[in-house]
Amino acid sequence: MKILEYHHMKEYSNMKIGGIAKELIIIEKKNEILEALKERENVFLIGNGTNTLISDGELDKTFISLKELKGIKELGNNIVEVEAGFDFKEFIEYMAEKDYSGLENLAGIPGSVGGLVYMNGGAYGTEVFDCIKEIEVVDENKEIRRVRKEDLHFTYRKTEIQDRKWIVLSAVFEFGKGFDSNKVEEIMSKRNERHPLNLPNLGSTFKNPDGLFSAKLIIEAGVQGKKIGGAQVSMMHPNFIVNHGNAKFDDILGLIEIVKERVKKKSGIELEEEIIIVRN
Ligand SMILES: Cc1cc2nc3c(=O)[nH]c(=O)nc-3n(C[C@H](O)[C@H](O)[C@H](O)COP(=O)(O)OP(=O)(O)OC[C@H]3O[C@@H](n4cnc5c(N)ncnc54)[C@H](O)[C@@H]3O)c2cc1C
């Protein structure tokens, strides 16, 4: 493993904000994770950083990256085991190549496989767990073990993995046959039309409340376009906050607070952050 001291974390978050971490550890072989966790507290597992806002300033934290763990193994019968660092966009390309079907609706999500599993990421009515059979984790006792999907509790953008602070090392997927490339094209053009992909952002800032859309609630509350410093509630997609280049951590937090306050006042609904916020 590589241990990088006093490492700049800005490039590790898709919001392009982040201070200097005490340590960044890049895991190169699976078992190294146990060594890295030994005698370290205040550890944060960073994937592709596409859902994570990192505080600026000095961070008294060890960040661990699994981006070098990107093995992929065919187990037969359309079953594939993928390591956590594998890029999800590349995994979609792999599905196309192998003619695997089931997760086409998730095309365009920029996370890692590990991040997507941790978040139970999803889109357009499909969640990543729809095609998962089993995951491999480092559990709360710092032991590596496998957990079957039926033994795991998960709901919308939430998994037991979060509550138990597990680390996802790999996941076993089971697909159908017949990759739907038309569906992927349709989804990609929707994303390109609707998402402010030209500016740093973290995707949807807030979870959708039951049966409602955060984006609609934000528009109704009159906060679309609101700016603090270099941060803005996107004019293209109101559930996205974008960084115009010089936004600070506090600008984003300030916007989140204003949006929550105004939505609560207008509709009585309390929005809950979907993004993960790393404070010092
Ligand atoms: C333009 C854009 C569009 C997006 N669209 C969608 C969408 O349609 N649907 C959706 O669900 N999300 C979407 N997202 C959000 C994001 O891409 C997903 O949540 C993704 O799964 C996060 O993966 P990541 O590797 O970037 O995670 P990170 O942001 O690095 O981490 C997110 C959380 O996962 C944890 N984590 C990461 N890897 C592991 C691991 N191996 N083990 C344990 N914990 C881990 C981190 O500690 C953190 O708490 C979008 C983001 C962007 C920028």
Side-chain angles (χ1 to χ4, degrees):
M1 67 184 145
K2 289 186 214 117
I3 303 180
L4 310 170
E5 289 182 349
Y6 302 105
H7 197 78
H8 286 269
M9 293 306 296
K10 190 172 161 180
E11 291 307 318
Y12 280 78
S13 164
N14 205 52
M15 194 56 107
K16 305 298 175 209
I17 295 175
I20 298 173
K22 191 174 75 179
E23 280 180 328
L24 168 67
I25 300 185
I26 317 261
I27 301 294
E28 293 167 306
K29 289 190 204 102
K30 200 164 73 181
N31 283 325
E32 291 173 354
I33 185 88
L34 300 178
E35 196 187 322
L37 291 172
K38 225 188 270 169
E39 293 163 19
R40 279 190 178 86
E41 281 176 19
N42 215 359
V43 163
F44 186 85
L45 205 297
I46 188 81
N48 282 2
T50 62
N51 215 23
T52 302
L53 178 66
I54 304 176
S55 172
D56 34 32
E58 279 188 23
L59 295 147
D60 184 25
K61 262 189 204 312
T62 297
F63 286 80
I64 295 185
S65 167
L66 305 181
K67 67 179 181 180
E68 301 286 321
L69 297 188
K70 44 188 179 196
I72 190 159
K73 197 160 67 188
E74 285 290 325
L75 303 179
N77 295 327
N78 306 338
I79 300 173
V80 188
E81 181 164 6
V82 191
E83 286 189 316
F86 205 90
D87 185 88
F88 190 73
K89 284 187 175 173
E90 285 175 30
F91 193 30
I92 291 277
E93 286 166 20
Y94 181 88
M95 292 169 212
E97 216 176 275
K98 297 282 183 184
D99 201 26
Y100 288 153
S101 181
L103 294 182
E104 290 90 337
N105 283 350
L106 274 54
I109 300 184
S112 63
V113 165
L116 210 68
V117 170
Y118 177 88
M119 300 294 298
N120 188 17
Y124 303 107
T126 303
E127 291 179 338
V128 72
F129 268 95
D130 292 351
C131 287
I132 283 180
K133 266 175 85 67
E134 185 178 280
I135 58 172
E136 182 188 28
V137 298
V138 181
D139 70 12
E140 56 273 53
N141 302 317
K142 298 188 180 161
E143 278 167 17
I144 296 180
R145 69 181 168 100
R146 290 180 172 267
V147 185
R148 291 180 313 172
K149 173 179 166 175
E150 51 271 36
D151 297 329
L152 192 74
H153 186 67
F154 55 89
T155 55
Y156 169 64
R157 302 293 177 272
K158 182 105 184 89
T159 60
E160 195 181 341
I161 305 168
Q162 298 165 13
D163 298 329
R164 294 179 178 260
K165 300 189 173 23
W166 289 347
I167 292 173
V168 179
L169 293 177
S170 67
V172 176
F173 291 82
E174 183 171 24
F175 295 110
K177 235 7 191 176
F179 183 79
D180 188 346
S181 52
N182 290 334
K183 172 59 81 183
V184 168
E185 233 168 78
E186 181 194 316
I187 300 275
M188 291 306 287
S189 64
K190 271 192 200 163
R191 283 183 179 273
N192 291 333
E193 261 167 44
R194 296 178 188 172
H195 293 171
L197 300 176
N198 58 330
L199 291 171
N201 70 79
L202 298 172
S204 295
T205 313
F206 303 100
K207 295 182 185 180
N208 285 324
D210 227 0
L212 297 168
F213 288 103
S214 296
K216 188 160 176 279
L217 295 169
I218 293 167
I219 294 172
E220 286 167 1
V223 269
Q224 182 168 24
K226 176 83 187 157
K227 277 185 184 166
I228 298 185
Q232 185 178 25
V233 177
S234 168
M235 289 306 293
M236 203 166 171
H237 192 310
N239 199 15
F240 281 46
I241 291 178
V242 292
N243 176 359
H244 284 285
N246 55 351
K248 302 268 179 286
F249 180 67
D250 283 345
D251 297 340
I252 312 282
L253 290 191
L255 270 187
I256 288 175
E257 280 322 303
I258 288 178
V259 170
K260 286 172 84 168
E261 217 176 273
R262 298 271 189 89
V263 167
K264 172 86 175 147
K265 203 162 161 202
K266 177 74 185 170
S267 61
I269 289 165
E270 281 196 35
L271 291 180
E272 187 193 339
E273 288 86 334
E274 179 170 326
I275 62 166
I276 307 290
I277 301 177
V278 183
R279 298 166 201 268
N280 210 348

